[in-house]
Amino acid sequence: MAVDWGLRAWGGIASAVALMAQWIFLLRWAEHAPPLVVVTSAGIAIFGAAFLLSWAAEAAQIDIPPSLSFAFLAFIAVLPEYAVDLYFAWQAGSDPTYTQYATANMTGANRILIGAGWPLVVLAFWWKSGSGYVALSETHTTELRFLVAATLYSFVIPFKGTLNIFDSLILLAIFAAYLAAAARSGVVEPELGGPAETIGGLPTVRRRWLTTVLFAACGVTILAAAEPFAESLLEVGRVANIDEFILVQWVAPLASESPEFIVATLFALKLKPGDGFSTLLSSKVNQWTLLIGALPLAFVAAVGGIEPMILDHRQAQEIMLTAAQSWFAVTVLCDLRFGIREALVLLVLFSIQLA
């Protein structure tokens, strides 16, 4: 049975590699392929890379502190999101219309994470165990404290109407403080499962070499797919007469966020919903600090001067709505309990926004 499970785990890893490989194969002809083919192929590659990154990062928990490992896992899991969003911010340096796409992708990713990801963990745990709530541990207060700080500051951005270097300094400082707080906990042996368990069970040297190779291969694939995926998605919107802002806001994050949702849901189905929530909470802190803070830096690097990203009325509204959702979510979690009623409220509110 253990052998069969090991073979299935390696089969999962091989399948994820195949999802990335098909994009590398198509890349030679990507310029001449239809936009829908390119966006589908690149999205599938990002999807496969996100799974491999999650498994490798889970296995890496063996060597780093637990709170820091969840922060690391969350950062790796949202790396595809960073690649696409930073591409939009970079392009905005030469074409200001891309600013709206950077904002759309960032707000969509954040709202999907809380509006769909958090309820999914609770509903999966309720379906498996019959329990109507998830109890978080005191260790989760680390993420919550810094999420509160980032959310409070995010309310300032819509009123300014810009994203600038000062915003980057504040948000990156919050992220750095979060990492420092997460690193203070001690190292414990993590409970792994599936492909992550298979990778983690390798001898130390082989495990570290394999995780390094996986990180490198996934990083190359994501970087190679980010630009064609983003541009082809915009082209699909133009051809199909669909609002490009909406496509970027809701379709683009699905490729990068869905593997993370699946990992968190699997934790809940294994009756470890706290671990699932740790991953999603850390991802939210990452996206609400590092991701937003990195956008003005990419823009400034592209422009070649210290200039702000100008937000129009729609973009300011989207950031305000995302900040309000974030504030509601942390208020719900202030007692370190997340029940099925709160999950349904978040899901319904998110569904109304989406509709």
Side-chain angles (χ1 to χ4, degrees), residues 5 50 65 96 117 162 178 192 199 306 322 337 351:
W5 175 245
T162 62
Y178 163 61
L192 305 177
I199 296 171
I306 301 179
T322 308
R337 288 167 60 98
S351 300

Side-chain angles (χ1 to χ4, degrees), residues 34 39 53 76 81 89 94 97 100 121 136 191 220 232 243 249 261 277 280 284 297 336 338 347 351:
V39 76
L53 285 172
I76 292 298
E81 189 68 40
S94 56
T97 60
Q100 64 176 321
V121 171
L136 305 182
E191 294 183 30
V220 169
S232 296
D243 187 344
Q249 188 172 41
F261 289 177
F277 246 100
L280 296 181
K284 176 61 180 177
L297 297 179
L336 297 180
F338 193 63
L347 188 60
S351 300

Side-chain angles (χ1 to χ4, degrees), residues 5-23:
W5 175 245
L7 290 175
R8 282 195 294 171
W10 285 114
I13 294 172
S15 298
V17 170
L19 293 181
M20 297 193 304
Q22 58 82 30
W23 166 247

Side-chain angles (χ1 to χ4, degrees), residues 2 5 13 60 101 134 151 158 175 177 266 280 336 348:
W5 175 245
I13 294 172
Y101 305 137
V134 172
T151 300
F175 178 73
L266 289 175
L280 296 181
L336 297 180
V348 169

Side-chain angles (χ1 to χ4, degrees), residues 1-339:
M1 189 69 179
V3 174
D4 290 342
W5 175 245
L7 290 175
R8 282 195 294 171
W10 285 114
I13 294 172
S15 298
V17 170
L19 293 181
M20 297 193 304
Q22 58 82 30
W23 166 247
I24 301 300
F25 178 77
L26 178 68
L27 190 58
R28 180 177 299 180
W29 298 279
E31 292 183 3
H32 308 289
L36 186 59
V37 172
V38 174
V39 76
T40 302
S41 178
I44 289 173
I46 292 173
F47 183 81
F51 264 115
L52 276 182
L53 285 172
S54 295
W55 293 332
E58 281 186 75
Q61 293 179 72
I62 295 173
D63 304 304
I64 55 181
S67 292
L68 186 59
S69 71
F70 283 118
F72 177 67
L73 173 59
F75 171 73
I76 292 298
V78 298
L79 186 60
E81 189 68 40
Y82 282 62
V84 175
D85 218 0
L86 291 179
Y87 169 76
F88 284 132
W90 175 272
Q91 288 297 105
S94 56
D95 184 354
T97 60
Y98 276 80
T99 300
Q100 64 176 321
Y101 305 137
T103 305
N105 195 50
M106 177 267 291
T107 55
N110 274 282
R111 296 226 290 273
I112 287 174
L113 189 65
I114 288 181
W118 290 18
L120 192 60
V121 171
V122 176
L123 293 173
F125 182 63
W126 168 74
W127 180 77
K128 187 70 175 181
S129 69
S131 176
Y133 70 93
V134 172
L136 305 182
S137 68
E138 290 294 328
T139 59
H140 291 99
T141 57
T142 299
E143 288 89 353
L144 288 175
R145 285 199 310 270
F146 291 101
L147 186 52
V148 166
T151 300
L152 286 173
Y153 183 77
S154 68
F155 280 107
V156 176
I157 297 173
F159 292 103
K160 295 195 299 93
T162 62
L163 269 173
N164 55 36
I165 290 294
F166 181 77
D167 299 318
S168 295
L169 293 176
I170 295 295
L171 293 170
L172 294 181
I174 294 173
F175 178 73
Y178 163 61
L179 285 185
R184 294 191 191 107
S185 58
V187 176
V188 296
E189 191 73 17
E191 294 183 30
L192 305 177
E197 182 181 15
T198 300
I199 296 171
L202 296 174
T204 301
V205 175
R206 289 175 59 190
R207 180 183 69 247
R208 291 176 178 173
W209 270 107
L210 180 58
T211 53
T212 301
V213 169
L214 289 178
F215 286 148
C218 292
V220 169
T221 301
I222 290 168
L223 290 176
E227 178 181 352
F229 176 77
E231 291 293 347
S232 296
L233 185 62
L234 295 178
E235 186 61 29
V236 167
R238 297 183 190 111
V239 172
N241 197 28
I242 300 173
D243 187 344
E244 296 157 30
F245 189 97
I246 297 297
L247 271 181
V248 171
Q249 188 172 41
W250 301 118
V251 175
L254 288 178
S256 55
E257 299 283 1
S258 52
E260 189 178 0
F261 289 177
I262 293 172
V263 169
T265 303
L266 289 175
F267 274 129
L269 292 175
K270 293 175 183 176
L271 304 182
K272 296 189 291 183
D275 288 350
F277 246 100
S278 288
T279 302
L280 296 181
L281 271 173
S282 293
S283 294
K284 176 61 180 177
V285 176
N286 271 270
Q287 291 185 174
W288 212 216
T289 55
L290 183 59
L291 177 58
I292 303 178
L295 296 182
L297 297 179
F299 179 78
V300 165
V303 170
I306 301 179
E307 297 182 21
M309 299 175 70
I310 306 299
L311 307 176
D312 62 23
H313 182 64
R314 183 183 191 181
Q315 296 165 49
Q317 280 187 328
E318 292 294 337
I319 293 176
M320 178 63 76
L321 182 58
T322 308
Q325 183 206 47
S326 179
W327 185 252
F328 178 75
V330 295
T331 303
V332 167
L333 288 183
C334 66
D335 61 350
L336 297 180
R337 288 167 60 98
F338 193 63

